Amino acid sequence: MTSLTYPQLPESCLVVLIGASGAGKSTLASTWPASQVLSLDALRGAVSDDCGCQEATGDAVDVLHLERRMARRKFTVVDATNVTRSAREPLVAAAKRHGMPVIAVMVATPASVCVERQGPRPANRTVPADTVRAQHKAMVHSHPTLLAEGFNEVLFADSLYQLLPYLKRLSEKRTADLGLDGGEGLGDLLLVRRVFGEEILPLWRWKPGSDVAGGDRVAEIRLGQQYLTLALRTNVDGEGDYGFDVLLPCPHDDECPGYAWAPADSITCLFRALNGDLDTSEDIVCTVHGGVDDVDQEADDHALQALRETVGSVR
């Protein structure tokens, strides 16, 4: 039986991605729900804190838990190079033990492209060009033998109808976030997620009744004893745009009784704010001292007044 969501794949099967490093296997794998994908890179990271640590591959395979998913007849995608028969054999055997069909998906990106894609990767994820070419050659040579190895079907990635189900899943998530599915959705956290990312949502708390932002809505991000205070600005620059400010120490007076704010438009801004890297930002505006330009002008006015008094005393 063929799934309506994945037109060319059985509803319960093991999908083994086969391709050289840089072929795009992980990109393809990401079009399926994360719970269905067993990534060798991710598992290397789980056992060694380094997704590119090749020495941890054996340990990563040990925690693959493929056997348990096959026993439950769960649709599963294995995201790994898998260009050698020895790498594929235990995967096929695990599926066969539980009567699960095994589908080989060849990600046949040209070798030159695979090599080119190594350039932007971090050092621990970069595979030497000679190795990539050898992987690509092994993938090509493996194609005629895959059915004999026990695969029920061999497909090429380009033949999969993955864009439609991927967009469907993203659409459903977006609809749920907006509350258009009848649920509550993210509501007033929608903008928070868009600016700072969904990982910050569990730490976010609105602070009703707070007056530190001149009437604008105030929130707090807290984890243990560390926290940041933010204000939601609904008329940025007087142009009606939305944005967030983060509360910082006044850069002009350590004993200032007012509140100093600086724009925060990314998670990096929050990190820099808590780390003290924004304490001298030129964008800080204090409710007492104003911005940097205001303080500079005040200093100039004092200097001019002192000069006048000096000239007057000489006369």
Side-chain angles (χ1 to χ4, degrees), residues 39 57 63 86 100 106 122 134 155 217 253 270-271 278 290:
S39 165
T57 299
V63 298
S86 61
M100 290 278 281
M106 310 283 285
L155 303 172
R217 201 170 185 193
D253 183 353
L270 300 185
F271 163 71
L278 292 185

XYZ file of all heavy atoms in Angstrom, residues 39 57 63 86 100 106 122 134 155 217 253 270-271 278 290:
112
model
N 19.692 10.136 12.258
C 20.838 10.765 11.617
C 22.120 10.320 12.281
O 22.286 10.487 13.491
C 20.707 12.296 11.687
O 21.932 12.917 11.387
N 31.654 6.970 15.222
C 30.651 6.358 14.356
C 30.161 5.025 14.910
O 28.961 4.742 14.913
C 31.211 6.168 12.938
O 31.557 7.441 12.390
C 30.186 5.503 12.033
N 23.760 3.206 19.252
C 22.577 3.843 19.848
C 21.543 4.220 18.788
O 20.642 5.011 19.036
C 22.973 5.114 20.634
C 23.887 4.763 21.769
C 23.604 6.171 19.734
N 29.018 -3.058 3.620
C 29.165 -3.372 5.044
C 28.368 -2.410 5.916
O 27.888 -2.788 6.986
C 30.639 -3.339 5.444
O 31.192 -2.042 5.220
N 9.922 -5.807 7.685
C 9.749 -4.457 7.151
C 10.430 -4.333 5.786
O 11.582 -4.753 5.628
C 10.357 -3.433 8.109
C 9.591 -3.267 9.404
S 8.173 -2.150 9.191
C 9.007 -0.562 9.233
N 18.853 6.667 -3.633
C 20.148 7.157 -4.096
C 20.097 8.678 -4.235
O 19.252 9.218 -4.963
C 20.489 6.537 -5.452
C 20.338 5.032 -5.523
S 21.706 4.182 -4.722
C 23.001 4.413 -5.931
N 32.203 23.473 8.627
C 33.226 23.579 9.676
C 34.264 22.486 9.512
O 34.004 21.452 8.893
C 32.415 23.414 10.967
C 31.155 22.728 10.556
C 30.862 23.186 9.172
N 35.727 9.152 -3.775
C 35.695 7.703 -3.559
C 34.299 7.262 -3.106
O 33.798 6.212 -3.534
C 36.744 7.304 -2.524
N 15.259 3.636 -5.452
C 14.755 4.873 -6.034
C 15.857 5.917 -6.064
O 16.830 5.817 -5.320
C 13.575 5.420 -5.211
C 12.363 4.518 -5.011
C 11.405 5.154 -4.011
C 11.664 4.262 -6.333
N 4.272 46.978 26.673
C 4.212 45.658 27.287
C 5.612 45.165 27.641
O 6.559 45.313 26.864
C 3.550 44.690 26.313
C 2.972 43.454 26.986
C 2.132 42.651 26.033
N 1.494 41.544 26.735
C 0.895 40.539 26.119
N 0.840 40.521 24.797
N 0.331 39.569 26.817
N 25.549 56.922 33.813
C 25.574 57.161 35.261
C 25.217 55.861 35.974
O 24.107 55.346 35.824
C 24.572 58.264 35.617
C 24.603 58.623 37.099
O 25.305 57.935 37.869
O 23.913 59.588 37.486
N 20.227 39.179 22.522
C 19.948 38.787 23.905
C 21.206 38.232 24.566
O 21.488 38.526 25.731
C 18.828 37.748 23.942
C 17.478 38.184 23.367
C 16.438 37.101 23.594
C 17.021 39.505 23.965
N 21.956 37.420 23.822
C 23.210 36.892 24.362
C 24.168 38.032 24.689
O 24.773 38.074 25.769
C 23.854 35.938 23.356
C 25.310 35.672 23.633
C 25.693 34.903 24.716
C 26.296 36.234 22.833
C 27.043 34.667 24.993
C 27.638 36.017 23.096
C 28.010 35.235 24.178
N 26.555 44.749 25.215
C 25.759 45.879 24.725
C 25.798 47.071 25.675
O 25.184 48.104 25.385
C 24.303 45.457 24.508
C 24.004 44.477 23.377
C 22.499 44.284 23.246
C 24.586 44.955 22.048
N 18.753 60.219 27.987
C 18.564 60.172 26.544
C 19.600 59.277 25.893
O 20.203 58.411 26.533
